[in-house]
Amino acid sequence: MSAKAIGEAVSGAPSETATPLKTQLRRAERLKKLKYGALIAPLALFLLLTFLWPIGALLMRSIENPEVPEALPQTLRALAGWDRQALPGEDAYAALVADLTENKGSRTLAVAAKRMNMEEPGFRSLFMNTARKLPLEPGVDAREGLLEIDSQWGELGTWQLIARNGRAYTDYFLLAAVDLYRDGAGNIVQADPSASIFVDIFVRTFWMSLIVTVWCVVLGYPVAYLLATQSSRVSNLLMIFVLLPFWTSILVRVAAWIVLLQQGGLINMGLISLGIIDQPLQLVFNRIGVYIAMVHILLPFMILPLYSVMKGISPTYLRAAVSLGCPPFKSYWKVYFPMTIPGLAAGGLLVFIISMGYYITPALLGSPKEQMASYFVAFYTNETTNWGMAAALSAVLLLATLILYFVYNRLVGSATSGARPR
Amino acid sequence: MIPAYASLSERIWFYAFRVGCGLILLFLVIPILVIIPLSFNSDSFLIYPMSGFSLRWYEEFFFSDTWTHALKNSLIVAPFATLLAMVFGTLASIGLTRVDFPGKALVTAILISPMVVPVVIVGVATYLVFAPIGLSGSYVGLILVHAALGVPFVVTTVSATLQGFDYNLVRAAASLGANPVTAFFRVTLPLVAPGVISGGLFAFGISFDEVVVTLFLASPEQTTLPRQMFSGIRENISPAIAAVATILTIFAVLMLLTLEWLRGRSERMRTSASNR
């Protein structure tokens, strides 16, 4: 703001000079906004390139379906107007023979065959064997030739599958991630119970996160209360017990729990020497071990937000309730506890969100029955290189996480949104 | 303290509560302390009672190529990732605390989202995108993603520090003729330094303990300490793991002490400033 403008403002300048002042002010405000907005830009750009773009690309993989259109362009053109009710006409057979002959032995065909094999086991060999026996003898009819090679070419389902994968985008993977699929006619139906695994996995992921969260609340609440009500000297000292594990590597803590919980570990030895058990208990590489380690790792995430909320509650409220004749437990429940609910919700959601994405702890401390959604994302990436499935499972997991994160943000208010510019 | 007029049930509750809390606090630290003595075990089992005292596992750590290579990689990746996270995060925090614009809450939520997105998704996604452009199996790729994972911690801690920052000081500097860059380095940065450093320590801790993204993105050449520990625990868990764990725990204690010292320092500065 220029000195002249200030002078005019102070002296109560007439209305014709007030307008330029207003514009000047607005311009200065806008400049400030741009200047400080520009400070956010480098980080935004950085995260866009290293974080948002990769995740976007991964999610796209869950709907991309380029394999069949690339390998069988003529067939798909011939099938364009097909009603999928009865076997297609002669021209579709001829186009398929042309496509398979053209792409014989190519990577394009192998990839497309692999893609269709995901939906119908046996399709890879159907395509590869047929292509190997092509081209047909001159003069042989395309349909008869194909049927002679494999009778599956005379089945409606075969052609429906090709037609269904004729477009560059598919909902196959996303549907499969929640145990649904499209039948021959294109209707969405529930997968066979024996083939349904993913809903169970997501339910398991939710359930295990819930158990861990409940334990963190049960164990974290009293500790946070103790820390918040002690003198700062004592509470700083006790805080070390919370912060030391918080800062210790997760792998150190996983290794420590293996040492403690294994068959010849300290806990089993202690229980045996006390005469409580005769045989060592199986405490690790099963669900108990995963729960114990996850609660241990996530407990600080519960205690710290609870502590900061409890620290802000004046003890006089509780005293007031007691002095008005309310029994201690009741006054605690009616007066103190409701005030801690924001901290409880924040800590609980944080623990729940983090445990939903857990991978390392179940992988090292659990049996196959303890693996959570993250494990299967990694599995489809590493073991079968099925990007579509990895991406679709990621999409479901990410959606669940983001919904909870949204609720969390609403509840806590993000770190900076509370700060009004000064 | 418990008042003299407390009834018997209140006394019982008082002590039961304390004993319970004590047990929970022990649950938190004992596993970490239990593994330390085993790193001095002379035979190759991670089981008590120990058969004798020996430093052979520390020798294995400091003189084996696998472990020193992993340590070296961690000490390359973590500082660079921290530096990137600190620079980008601090600048963005200043911007976020100074202006209001439509959608700011959303932008903030996105900047903090690397903290909540399941890390396996980050690992798979960055591998998918970085592999074709030659950034997988490279130090640069690993540093970039580790930095992205550390950014939310810098943004939250620095923003929290900036809440108490008096921007009149910057105005004063400007009115005395300092240009914005000078004002930043001479006025703003020294005052928010504790926040920036604790954010940096968080980011360092994240990168130094990161294993999932490293599993996907790093080739054996870039194996970091946690990555090596992961294979160690999975394949054959020996007292060498306990030795590494002990070293990492000492490291954690140092980080914790530094943070506490920073917190105390900024608290003292705040109280002395308000007393004046």
Side-chain angles (χ1 to χ4, degrees):
Chain A
M1 200 186 298
S2 74
K4 180 167 162 270
I6 295 175
E8 281 164 353
V10 170
S11 63
S15 59
E16 66 262 25
T17 52
T19 323
L21 173 63
K22 224 172 162 182
T23 6
Q24 263 181 334
L25 197 66
R26 209 177 305 134
R27 197 175 303 142
E29 275 295 309
R30 204 163 47 227
L31 197 70
K32 184 187 139 193
K33 244 183 205 185
L34 270 177
K35 221 168 66 185
Y36 285 106
L39 291 177
I40 309 174
L43 178 59
L45 194 69
F46 176 72
L47 284 185
L48 190 71
L49 290 177
T50 59
F51 183 73
L52 297 174
W53 172 48
I55 288 180
L58 177 67
L59 294 181
M60 281 305 286
R61 277 296 180 111
S62 68
I63 54 169
E64 280 172 1
N65 196 33
E67 294 91 348
V68 178
E70 268 169 29
L72 308 173
Q74 302 174 56
T75 316
L76 290 168
R77 227 172 294 135
L79 288 176
W82 179 47
D83 64 358
R84 302 191 193 184
Q85 303 295 326
L87 280 172
E90 191 69 36
D91 55 336
Y93 282 91
L96 184 67
V97 169
D99 276 332
L100 290 180
T101 315
E102 221 164 86
N103 290 319
K104 186 177 169 179
S106 75
R107 201 184 124 71
T108 326
L109 185 64
V111 171
K114 183 187 168 201
R115 168 67 187 82
M116 282 189 279
N117 202 62
M118 286 174 193
E119 292 194 37
E120 273 313 316
F123 261 60
R124 192 205 306 263
S125 50
L126 172 68
F127 269 82
M128 300 319 269
N129 286 340
T130 309
R132 206 172 302 128
K133 290 178 185 152
L134 292 176
L136 296 167
E137 300 283 323
V140 176
D141 176 61
R143 179 205 288 266
E144 280 175 11
L146 280 177
L147 281 175
E148 198 163 305
I149 294 170
D150 198 314
S151 63
Q152 263 189 287
W153 293 114
E155 284 167 24
L156 182 59
T158 312
W159 291 93
Q160 283 174 332
L161 181 61
I162 295 176
R164 198 158 64 232
N165 285 304
R167 263 170 300 159
Y169 296 97
T170 179
D171 52 9
Y172 167 74
F173 296 112
L174 286 173
L175 289 175
V178 287
D179 290 336
L180 298 172
Y181 73 101
R182 278 184 190 279
D183 62 9
N187 303 313
I188 296 175
V189 288
Q190 196 88 42
D192 192 53
S194 65
S196 302
I197 47 167
F198 296 120
V199 169
D200 285 351
I201 289 164
F202 284 114
V203 168
R204 177 198 296 166
T205 306
F206 252 77
W207 177 248
M208 288 176 69
S209 307
L210 190 69
I211 300 274
V212 169
T213 309
V214 168
W215 273 104
C216 282
V217 170
V218 170
L219 299 179
Y221 197 90
V223 171
Y225 181 72
L226 181 77
L227 288 174
T229 49
Q230 295 300 309
S231 69
S232 69
R233 202 174 53 84
V234 177
S235 81
N236 276 345
L237 199 70
L238 293 180
M239 196 52 113
I240 292 175
F241 284 70
V242 180
L243 289 176
L244 178 65
F246 184 73
W247 279 98
T248 307
S249 164
I250 287 179
L251 289 157
V252 171
R253 287 183 272 172
V254 167
W257 279 113
I258 293 180
V259 168
L260 276 171
L261 297 173
Q262 63 193 338
Q263 297 265 322
L266 277 185
I267 292 186
N268 268 321
M269 274 171 36
L271 290 176
I272 289 174
S273 65
L274 288 174
I276 298 171
I277 51 169
D278 301 324
Q279 291 296 314
L281 297 171
Q282 179 71 33
L283 294 171
V284 74
F285 310 119
N286 62 10
R287 197 158 290 195
I288 300 173
V290 176
Y291 280 150
I292 293 177
M294 280 180 79
V295 170
H296 181 249
I297 293 168
L298 292 168
L299 196 49
F301 290 93
M302 186 77 226
I303 295 177
L304 295 174
L306 256 181
Y307 167 77
S308 69
V309 167
M310 287 176 173
K311 199 79 190 155
I313 299 173
S314 163
T316 51
Y317 294 126
L318 206 54
R319 272 185 230 143
V322 176
S323 79
L324 288 169
C326 189
F329 280 102
K330 194 179 171 194
S331 59
Y332 186 86
W333 181 249
K334 289 270 182 186
V335 176
Y336 192 85
F337 179 75
M339 288 192 282
T340 62
I341 286 177
L344 207 54
L349 268 173
L350 190 64
V351 169
F352 193 86
I353 292 174
I354 300 177
S355 29
M356 282 228 306
Y358 253 51
Y359 172 61
I360 292 298
T361 315
L364 290 176
L365 287 174
S367 74
K369 276 183 281 179
E370 275 70 59
Q371 302 310 323
M372 300 164 81
S374 286
Y375 172 84
F376 293 89
V377 173
F379 173 82
Y380 279 109
T381 310
N382 292 335
E383 313 281 324
T384 62
T385 336
N386 183 346
W387 284 103
M389 217 50 239
L393 292 174
S394 299
V396 177
L397 182 61
L398 192 62
L399 184 72
T401 309
L402 290 184
I403 291 172
L404 289 168
Y405 178 49
F406 178 77
V407 176
Y408 174 81
N409 252 339
R410 269 294 155 90
L411 231 81
V412 185
S414 56
T416 49
S417 64
R420 295 274 79 87
R422 266 163 293 177
Chain B
M1 234 23 255
I2 190 157
Y5 52 80
S7 69
L8 181 66
S9 70
E10 274 171 358
R11 273 167 204 278
I12 291 173
W13 173 247
F14 178 86
Y15 289 111
F17 176 73
R18 257 138 230 261
V19 170
C21 285
L23 289 176
I24 299 169
L25 290 172
L26 287 180
F27 164 74
L28 279 169
V29 289
I30 280 197
I32 297 167
L33 301 182
V34 153
I35 199 169
I36 293 175
L38 286 175
S39 65
F40 299 103
N41 201 356
S42 59
D43 70 21
S44 55
F45 298 106
L46 268 174
I47 286 182
Y48 284 99
M50 289 164 55
S51 49
F53 179 88
S54 136
L55 286 175
R56 62 185 269 214
W57 303 108
Y58 287 90
E59 200 180 308
E60 182 171 328
F61 178 78
F62 284 110
F63 294 100
S64 86
D65 283 343
T66 8
W67 286 110
T68 48
H69 182 69
L71 178 65
K72 194 193 81 193
N73 279 336
S74 277
L75 291 177
I76 291 171
V77 173
F80 279 109
T82 307
L83 190 68
L84 278 179
M86 274 167 84
V87 171
F88 289 134
T90 306
L91 288 179
S93 307
I94 294 174
L96 283 172
T97 40
R98 287 288 276 155
V99 284
D100 241 343
F101 52 88
K104 181 175 144 181
L106 182 70
V107 171
T108 313
I110 290 173
L111 296 186
I112 300 181
S113 64
M115 194 159 73
V116 293
V117 170
V119 66
V120 163
I121 296 182
V122 180
V124 172
T126 48
Y127 173 70
L128 172 72
V129 168
F130 283 8
I133 55 174
L135 277 178
S136 75
S138 77
Y139 286 99
V140 176
L142 203 56
I143 288 168
L144 289 178
V145 181
H146 278 193
L149 292 178
V151 155
F153 296 91
V154 179
V155 171
T156 42
T157 46
V158 176
S159 298
T161 317
L162 283 171
Q163 312 266 304
F165 183 73
D166 186 355
Y167 276 95
N168 286 325
L169 294 171
V170 181
R171 289 202 190 103
S175 80
L176 291 168
N179 65 37
V181 177
T182 316
F184 174 77
F185 280 107
R186 302 287 295 273
V187 179
T188 313
L189 193 57
L191 283 168
V192 299
V196 177
I197 295 172
S198 8
L201 279 176
F202 266 104
F204 190 88
I206 294 290
S207 169
F208 205 68
D209 194 21
E210 208 295 316
V211 56
V212 182
V213 168
T214 316
L215 275 172
F216 287 98
L217 214 52
S219 64
E221 175 69 25
Q222 288 95 34
T223 296
T224 59
L225 209 47
R227 173 74 186 79
Q228 189 58 41
M229 265 193 97
F230 181 80
S231 355
I233 293 174
R234 185 163 249 191
E235 280 141 31
N236 70 328
I237 178 159
S238 75
I241 297 287
V244 184
T246 307
I247 293 165
L248 287 181
T249 307
I250 292 169
F251 195 77
V253 171
L254 290 179
M255 298 254 278
L256 179 61
L257 289 178
T258 317
L259 266 177
E260 284 299 299
W261 177 73
L262 279 171
R263 207 171 54 85
R265 182 171 169 272
S266 65
E267 226 158 67
R268 272 199 307 280
M269 270 174 71
R270 207 170 303 144
T271 45
S272 69
S274 59
N275 287 343
R276 242 179 288 150

